[in-house]
Amino acid sequence: QKEVEQNSGPLSVPEGAIASLNCTYSDRGSQSFFWYRQYSGKSPELIMSIYSNGDKEDGRFTAQLNKASQYVSLLIRDSQPSDSATYLCAASSSGGSYIPTFGRGTSLIVHP
Amino acid sequence: DVKVTQSSRYLVKRTGEKVFLECVQDMDHENMFWYRQDPGLGLRLIYFSYDVKMKEKGDIPEGYSVSREKKERFSLILESASTNQTSMYLCASSPGVRTEAFFGQGTRLTVV
């Protein structure tokens, strides 16, 4: 069973701090990784995709991938209360799979 | 921008009714998915389709069927709605293998 694991949280950080969200995956052959943000009662919204080892930055967001450790993380700099949401990590399976595997998400609370 | 549109945001149906949930995407994506999301259980895949008229069962297909007669449209059918099918239903599409998925706004279905 291919799995993506996330700590459910909640992760609580003060406004302006860096929030660090982590994710591990079991399928060593996974090649594509995605972070989604989901506000309460809403659908998941794609934030970032990452395919290669290392860091990828987009505004206040940085995704980090370490395939050797099977580890993906999302850093949110200068966290804002509007960043409070559940963050879902997803990994594509190896081979010719069409289906991403989702983690259950980490709840982030940014308090003023 | 990719747009995935679900026919209803909220729906209330009676036990035993046949329920149709419609999903349309406007980006010529090959793959379409139906998930349900329940608190603490994360996203669970019901069915997916990788081509017109092609469908595959996901993790929880029991009590559901799907139809994909046109590339842009993927319908989820609850043959005889039951109260344990009360949930948030999410449709998604993706362009190909190991690519990111884009979600519709979700349908919150209540079966009474």
Side-chain angles (χ1 to χ4, degrees):
Chain A
Q1 181 80 6
K2 296 166 183 173
E3 293 183 339
V4 174
E5 300 285 345
Q6 297 180 257
N7 188 318
S8 62
L11 174 65
S12 182
V13 301
E15 185 174 357
I18 296 175
S20 178
L21 303 160
N22 304 315
C23 168
T24 59
Y25 59 95
S26 63
D27 182 1
R28 185 167 288 278
S30 292
Q31 298 182 28
S32 308
F33 304 88
F34 314 102
W35 282 100
Y36 291 82
R37 177 177 62 201
Q38 186 174 23
Y39 292 114
S40 180
K42 304 294 186 182
S43 62
E45 171 193 12
L46 181 70
I47 300 175
M48 291 191 72
S49 308
I50 187 166
Y51 306 96
S52 305
N53 277 330
D55 295 0
K56 179 181 178 183
E57 187 174 318
D58 184 0
R60 295 188 295 113
F61 299 97
T62 299
Q64 299 175 317
L65 173 60
N66 183 327
K67 289 185 178 180
S69 300
Q70 295 177 241
Y71 180 89
V72 192
S73 64
L74 179 70
L75 302 178
I76 306 174
R77 289 183 300 281
D78 189 25
S79 295
Q80 301 297 310
S82 59
D83 293 325
S84 299
T86 297
Y87 289 80
L88 303 175
C89 173
S92 71
S93 298
S94 55
S97 173
Y98 305 94
I99 307 169
T101 300
F102 286 87
R104 294 189 179 186
T106 298
S107 174
L108 173 66
I109 299 171
V110 181
H111 53 86
Chain B
D1 280 354
V2 175
K3 190 152 187 185
V4 181
T5 304
Q6 295 182 227
S7 53
S8 303
R9 185 75 180 90
Y10 298 95
L11 211 52
V12 179
K13 294 293 182 180
R14 295 193 179 278
T15 301
E17 278 194 77
K18 192 168 186 176
V19 181
F20 294 85
L21 303 182
E22 306 286 343
C23 176
V24 177
Q25 51 95 3
D26 66 356
M27 285 301 292
D28 201 37
H29 282 177
E30 302 294 325
N31 309 317
M32 297 189 75
F33 310 86
W34 276 107
Y35 293 89
R36 65 177 283 179
Q37 188 176 36
D38 301 287
L41 297 179
L43 288 167
R44 291 185 291 169
L45 182 67
I46 304 171
Y47 269 96
F48 77 98
S49 169
Y50 54 90
D51 200 353
V52 176
K53 297 190 186 292
M54 305 302 289
K55 58 189 178 185
E56 295 287 342
K57 293 179 180 179
D59 300 319
I60 52 164
E62 296 79 18
Y64 304 94
S65 62
V66 290
S67 172
R68 193 170 182 198
E69 296 296 319
K70 293 185 178 181
K71 191 174 186 179
E72 66 270 19
R73 186 179 298 269
F74 192 34
S75 302
L76 179 70
I77 303 150
L78 285 66
E79 299 291 344
S80 177
S82 64
T83 54
N84 63 12
Q85 292 178 310
T86 292
S87 186
M88 170 74 97
Y89 288 87
L90 292 161
C91 175
S93 70
S94 71
V97 174
R98 298 189 296 277
T99 58
E100 60 271 18
F102 298 90
F103 286 85
Q105 78 274 30
T107 296
R108 184 162 296 281
L109 172 68
T110 302
V111 182
V112 298

